[in-house]
Amino acid sequence: MESGTSSPEPLPSDPLEAFPQKSLEPADIAVLVLYFLFVLAVGLWSTVKTKRDTVKGYFLAGGDMVWWPVGASLFASNVGSGHFIGLAGSGAAMGISASAYELNGIFSVLMLAWIFLPIYIAGQVTTMPEYLRKRFGGSRIPTTLAVLYLLMYIFTKISVDMYAGAIFIQQSLHLDLYLAIVGLLAITALYTITGGLAAVIYTDAVQTMIMLTGALALMGYSFDAVGGMEGLKEKYFLALASNRTENSSCGLPREDAFHIFRHPVTSDLPWPGILLGMSIPSLWYWCTDQVIVQRSLAAKNLSHAKGGSLMAAYLKLLPLFMMVFPGMISRVLFPDQVACADPEICQKVCSNPSGCSDIAYPKLVLEILPTGLRGLMMAVMVAALMSSLTSIFNSSSTIFTMDLWNILRPRATEKELMIVGRVFVLLLVLFSILWIPVVQASQGGQLFIYIQSVSSYLQPPVAIVFIMGCFWKRTNEKGAFWGLVLGLLLGFIRLVLDFIYLEPRCDQPDERPTVVKDIHYLYFSIILSTVTLVIVSTVSWFTAPPSKEMVSGLTWFTHHDPVVRKEQVPPLPLTLPQNGTPESSSTSIQLEIVQENMSQTHSCAVTPKQSKVVKAILWLCGMENKGKEEPMSKVEPVITFLEENPFVKTLLDINLIICISCAIFVWGYFA
């Protein structure tokens, strides 16, 4: 008893302790446990309820999701713990400019449902590399892209989200960083591996509710603590660390902190870069990224997909208020820790000499929320982390299985593909853990900016290839390939230079080469997009045009045309299932080949006797052997998926106009 009461004694004497005596109390832990039980219950319910023993059931949730889980899942997949930590950290360090990424995303997610999705549906695709395989032919582009997507998931998404979530857990539960990460990954991988996309989407819907409840509650408490918006505007500019050097400009709040549009040359986020350089990576993320598009493809029909996009777009108006402003408030309330400017002091406060703005959000949660709500916010952070990780894991295994493994083993059985997809999730987890120290060391302690700069170097060439493929019928494989390869090469060179020449600290001279120092990453994004565009257009123009079957149903201008297809795999009838009755299929060629192979092997294989352990594992993954192969269900033709009820269509279009108006108003008000 003695030691228990005396152990916290020295803490109050150290004002630089980031989280003095603040950890979760029994009531908080009870809320957290309830949250875990609730999510696991939903995960198990959706795992049992949905068909996950087929490739389409596992990777596309059977294609029968309604609009609200789709919308919630789009939002939850996007807003990971990296958002909470990163956007709040950027808010604390430099004001509201980082919210431009969120507001930009509103237009892109709407473009997905109204412009890009009809093309993907008409082309009957499951994965993004598969769209390029159908549109351009050959396997150079889809294979390059599949590998690139997987690398980007590890570098910009998985490791960043894990690091952010672990910071939070480490501060509140005082666990070891790596132990916290491994624990989280174990839970996350469990229902992703067993339940497939349906389990991921349903749990995402629950996580979104929890995230919004907790984050809005914290926003209310934060504004109350600082005296509302007027109080924040007044006090933010006075929020300086008491230990900063008087004659130094380090640690000073930016004068343009409350403006999104900033000086085109001297600022941290120049306004031409925001308008042009940010839009291309945003379009890549929302309209061509497997994680996002896969959710929309799982919708029942185009109207449900549009409804989901609208819901996500409305929710994207919230991060400015839920994350960026609270990050700025955290700086006002705790300037010595959040706004620390001296590398030695920062190292002492948060073990990061570059700066401690990333602790802004957890600091706020643990200091100003009452018991119980702290546990809820802890659940919010875990929800944000788990929802984005499950989404990425599921989409990565889809790409690996359908676009890489299927090329290596075109006659793979369905069972083999299901196992490969699940094993790949485990490998991803391992890679991600190994990458965390690199993330920790880079980019001035501002997590969000790390993600965005990596994105600006690698995403534009991919986005341009998709845009040209969708909107210019003359684009051919040679043009797309050379545009993609040379664009990525340029981006990769800049990325390597950024890692070699790290940004100096505020009190040190900047001796980096001009290409790194003077060309902002958003301007580089514009240059990269332009170079790729010129290469794709020039090479396509001077080489043979694509054949008719590579254009019909695969561009915006031809997506209503009857689909012309060459027999890509002659022995396999693409539109005849096993029972021989013709049907239109909205699944991809790949899925059909897989199902065909599976039923062939199933009919001639003699099932060996299995041990109870193997049976239990197969049951858990929804792959237990059925006595008899069920006939493939009749699939709705593509045309019915694209048809919309006129009243619903009008309602969605009116909502589209309202949503865009709201976004433009927020842009204008804070610009």
Side-chain angles (χ1 to χ4, degrees), residues 162-228:
M162 286 195 319
Y163 170 60
I167 284 181
F168 207 93
I169 289 166
Q170 185 188 22
Q171 307 296 8
S172 52
L173 296 178
H174 301 295
L175 289 175
D176 174 67
L177 183 72
Y178 282 88
L179 184 71
I181 285 170
V182 173
L184 272 177
L185 285 174
I187 298 167
T188 311
L190 177 71
Y191 67 85
T192 311
I193 289 173
T194 54
L197 184 63
V200 170
I201 288 183
Y202 280 121
T203 47
D204 276 357
V206 173
Q207 316 272 35
T208 302
M209 274 182 345
I210 294 167
M211 274 199 276
L212 292 175
T213 310
L216 290 170
L218 180 66
M219 181 183 85
Y221 274 96
S222 308
F223 275 113
D224 183 53
V226 83

Side-chain angles (χ1 to χ4, degrees), residues 22-33:
K22 289 287 180 183
S23 57
L24 298 185
E25 298 191 16
D28 298 318
I29 290 167
V31 171
L32 199 53
V33 170

Side-chain angles (χ1 to χ4, degrees), residues 420-483:
V420 166
R422 289 167 158 112
V423 169
F424 186 70
V425 172
L426 291 176
L427 292 176
L428 264 184
V429 168
L430 198 67
F431 268 120
S432 312
I433 292 172
L434 298 175
W435 185 247
I436 286 168
V438 182
V439 181
Q440 227 170 337
S442 68
Q443 275 298 332
Q446 274 195 58
L447 200 57
F448 199 71
I449 300 305
Y450 160 83
I451 309 171
Q452 302 310 340
S453 53
V454 170
S455 307
S456 302
Y457 303 146
L458 298 181
Q459 292 168 359
V462 183
I464 294 294
V465 166
F466 270 98
I467 291 167
M468 296 296 278
C470 289
F471 297 103
W472 190 39
K473 292 192 277 189
R474 188 69 177 68
T475 313
N476 63 16
E477 199 268 350
K478 289 188 175 72
F481 178 73
W482 288 110

Side-chain angles (χ1 to χ4, degrees), residues 234-552:
E234 191 183 309
K235 294 171 188 170
Y236 181 78
F237 297 104
L238 307 172
L240 303 170
S242 58
N243 45 39
R244 63 177 283 276
T245 318
E246 279 304 312
N247 56 2
S248 154
S249 63
C250 299
L252 288 174
R254 292 187 62 91
E255 288 174 16
D256 52 10
F258 285 89
H259 301 290
I260 294 177
F261 283 2
R262 299 180 174 184
H263 194 279
V265 180
T266 57
S267 67
D268 55 338
L269 283 178
W271 69 263
I274 283 178
L275 287 181
L276 300 170
M278 203 180 267
S279 303
I280 299 291
S282 176
L283 208 65
W284 172 85
Y285 179 78
W286 288 102
C287 302
T288 73
D289 182 16
Q290 182 67 24
V291 171
I292 298 297
V293 177
Q294 194 172 346
R295 267 128 205 80
S296 297
L297 287 174
K300 259 184 179 172
N301 54 38
L302 189 57
S303 296
H304 280 283
K306 284 181 175 179
S309 276
L310 269 171
M311 179 179 170
Y314 278 121
L315 291 175
K316 287 292 282 178
L317 289 164
L318 295 176
L320 170 61
F321 304 96
M322 286 190 329
M323 299 168 202
V324 179
F325 284 137
M328 296 170 79
I329 291 169
S330 185
R331 178 184 179 123
V332 172
L333 299 178
F334 317 107
D336 283 354
Q337 292 96 336
V338 176
C340 79
D342 185 297
E344 287 172 22
I345 293 169
C346 292
Q347 178 69 38
K348 202 171 172 186
V349 172
C350 64
S351 314
N352 187 344
S354 316
C356 289
S357 56
D358 282 342
I359 67 165
Y361 206 79
K363 183 82 179 152
L364 212 50
V365 170
L366 293 171
E367 297 278 351
I368 72 168
L369 285 184
T371 304
L373 266 182
R374 272 209 297 271
L376 177 69
M377 274 317 290
M378 191 66 223
V380 166
M381 289 306 296
V382 177
L385 174 69
M386 285 169 70
S387 61
S388 53
L389 282 186
T390 49
S391 305
I392 295 159
F393 287 159
N394 184 269
S395 298
S396 304
S397 72
T398 308
I399 286 184
F400 181 79
T401 311
M402 305 312 291
D403 292 303
L404 295 177
W405 193 262
N406 239 353
I407 290 172
L408 295 173
R409 287 178 55 81
R411 312 292 300 182
T413 64
E414 181 149 22
K415 196 171 193 177
E416 180 183 326
L417 291 179
M418 309 296 281
I419 292 167
V420 166
R422 289 167 158 112
V423 169
F424 186 70
V425 172
L426 291 176
L427 292 176
L428 264 184
V429 168
L430 198 67
F431 268 120
S432 312
I433 292 172
L434 298 175
W435 185 247
I436 286 168
V438 182
V439 181
Q440 227 170 337
S442 68
Q443 275 298 332
Q446 274 195 58
L447 200 57
F448 199 71
I449 300 305
Y450 160 83
I451 309 171
Q452 302 310 340
S453 53
V454 170
S455 307
S456 302
Y457 303 146
L458 298 181
Q459 292 168 359
V462 183
I464 294 294
V465 166
F466 270 98
I467 291 167
M468 296 296 278
C470 289
F471 297 103
W472 190 39
K473 292 192 277 189
R474 188 69 177 68
T475 313
N476 63 16
E477 199 268 350
K478 289 188 175 72
F481 178 73
W482 288 110
L484 184 67
V485 168
L486 295 174
L488 287 174
L489 190 67
L490 264 179
F492 192 71
I493 290 168
R494 170 68 198 252
L495 184 62
V496 170
L497 285 174
D498 259 22
F499 273 106
I500 296 171
Y501 300 102
L502 292 175
E503 193 175 346
R505 290 201 306 262
C506 162
D507 54 346
Q508 294 174 333
D510 193 343
E511 292 168 353
R512 295 175 297 167
T514 308
V515 69
V516 179
K517 181 172 67 172
D518 295 338
I519 301 178
H520 193 278
Y521 65 83
L522 289 177
Y523 285 145
F524 190 80
S525 168
I526 300 173
I527 295 167
L528 200 50
S529 304
T530 311
V531 168
T532 309
L533 187 67
V534 169
I535 295 170
V536 173
S537 311
T538 310
V539 176
S540 292
W541 191 255
F542 288 106
T543 49
S547 60
K548 194 171 181 191
E549 72 267 6
M550 286 180 185
V551 177
S552 71

